[in-house]
Amino acid sequence: MDKARIIQQINQHKIQPNLRYQLKEKTEVFTNLLFYTLFDIETPVKENLDKLEATFDVLVDLACWDTQKPCKKLWENYVEKLPNVLQRLNLDAEATVTCDPASLSIEEVYMAYPGFYAIAIYRLAHELYKVGFPLVPRLMTEYAHRQTGVDINPGAVIGDSFHIDHGTGVVIGETAIIKDHVKIYQGVTLGGLFVAKHLQQTKRHPTIEKNVTIYANATILGGNTIIGENSVIGGNAWLTESVPPNSTVFHTPEIKIKTLPNVS
C-alpha cells in the first residue's frame, strides 16, 4: 500500500475550503443551550445567555465566509427576539394541550412531544434565516429533523398556535406559508409541485390559511395552491390545486373485488 499516494489523492479531492464539520457540532450545542435557556426552569437565563453569545461567536467564525457581511452584529438583534419567540412557543404548546386528548400536562408537551420540539427549533432558526445568517438555521432544523422525523425548512412562515400531532414524516418546504391555528398530523407534506433549480427564488410551496386541519399522509403541492380557512383535508389526500374556505376534502379509496376462478 502506497500510503503517501493515498493521502495525496484524498487531499487533492478535498475541494471545499469552508467545509468544517465542527460547525455542525457547534450548532447542535448552540441549539441545546437555546432550548434549555428558554424552557428549563433550573437553567439560569443570565449565565446561559453569556454561554450562548460565546457559542454564537464561534458559529460566526465558522459560518461567515464572506467577510463583508457583518455577522457579528446579529447577536444583539437575535437576543431581543427571543422573548417573542418564547411567547409564541408557549402558544404552540397550549394549542397541543387543547388539540390532543392524549396530553396529560403541558409539561409533557414541552418535554415529550416531537412535534413541539421541531416547531421550537424551527422558530429559533427562522429568526436567523430571515437575516441571512448562512447555513446555521438549516443545521438547526436538520438537527431537529434527525431527532423527531419532522422536516421544517427554516424559511417557512408559520403563524401562531401551530400543532403537529405525532410528527414523524412531516415535511414543510422553504416557501410554505401556514397561518394561525393550523393542525397537521404525521406524514403530511407541504411540498413543491416541480423540482427545478431555476425555481429557487419563487414561491414553490402551498399556503395554508387559518384554522385548517390536515390529517395523516396528506400531500399538498405547489406555490399557487391555497387551502382556504376552516377547511379539513382528509388523510391520504393529494392536492395540487386550491381549495375554497370551509371545504372538506377526502381521499376516496378504489375498492376492487377479486374475482375467484370458477373451479368445477
Side-chain angles (χ1 to χ4, degrees), residues 112-123:
Y113 274 60
F116 175 78
Y117 182 82
I119 295 168
I121 303 309
Y122 150 77
R123 292 206 188 279

Side-chain angles (χ1 to χ4, degrees), residues 21-258:
Y21 272 90
Q22 64 170 306
L23 173 60
K24 182 175 182 178
E25 295 168 354
K26 296 293 185 183
T27 297
E28 293 173 4
V29 171
F30 178 73
T31 302
N32 288 332
L33 280 171
L34 274 172
F35 202 83
Y36 270 75
T37 303
L38 295 186
F39 297 113
D40 182 55
I41 199 65
E42 295 182 347
T43 297
V45 174
K46 183 179 183 301
E47 288 83 346
N48 251 41
L49 283 180
D50 293 338
K51 292 179 183 178
L52 281 166
E53 183 175 6
T55 307
F56 191 82
D57 285 342
V58 174
L59 296 182
V60 167
D61 291 337
L62 291 170
C64 288
W65 312 315
D66 185 350
T67 57
Q68 301 303 313
K69 291 185 177 180
C71 290
K72 286 186 178 292
K73 297 180 180 179
L74 294 177
W75 175 247
E76 290 186 5
N77 292 331
Y78 185 66
V79 169
E80 288 181 357
K81 294 175 181 177
L82 291 181
N84 179 256
V85 171
L86 178 55
Q87 184 179 25
R88 297 186 69 191
L89 286 171
N90 287 336
L91 292 176
D92 296 325
E94 291 168 7
T96 293
V97 170
T98 301
C99 293
D100 186 3
S103 62
L104 301 178
S105 67
I106 196 163
E107 290 82 5
E108 181 184 27
V109 172
Y110 286 108
M111 290 192 286
Y113 274 60
F116 175 78
Y117 182 82
I119 295 168
I121 303 309
Y122 150 77
R123 292 206 188 279
L124 292 165
H126 180 67
E127 296 302 326
L128 292 174
Y129 175 93
K130 287 194 298 185
V131 295
F133 191 60
L135 193 53
V136 168
R138 185 59 186 269
L139 289 173
M140 291 173 69
T141 55
E142 186 54 35
Y143 180 46
H145 179 202
R146 191 167 77 243
Q147 295 186 82
T148 65
V150 179
D151 184 2
I152 308 177
N153 189 287
V157 177
I158 300 177
D160 291 336
S161 300
F162 182 47
H163 169 55
I164 299 176
D165 207 337
H166 302 294
T168 305
V170 166
V171 177
I172 300 174
E174 180 184 24
T175 62
I177 297 174
I178 300 174
K179 302 292 182 68
D180 298 342
H181 301 287
V182 169
K183 176 170 63 175
I184 67 177
Y185 285 77
Q186 69 272 18
V188 167
T189 297
L190 304 181
L193 187 57
F194 303 104
V195 179
K197 196 66 177 180
H198 72 275
L199 298 175
Q200 186 174 20
Q201 301 301 319
T202 64
K203 188 179 185 306
R204 310 181 304 281
H205 306 97
T207 296
I208 312 299
E209 296 287 352
K210 294 180 180 179
N211 301 310
V212 170
T213 299
I214 308 174
Y215 283 103
N217 299 313
T219 298
I220 304 172
L221 306 177
N224 294 323
T225 302
I226 300 173
I227 305 302
E229 64 182 29
N230 305 315
S231 292
V232 175
I233 309 301
N236 297 307
W238 178 281
L239 292 172
T240 58
E241 296 180 356
S242 296
V243 169
N246 306 306
S247 297
T248 301
V249 179
F250 291 110
H251 166 73
T252 303
E254 182 179 356
I255 301 174
K256 295 183 178 180
I257 307 299
K258 184 186 296 184

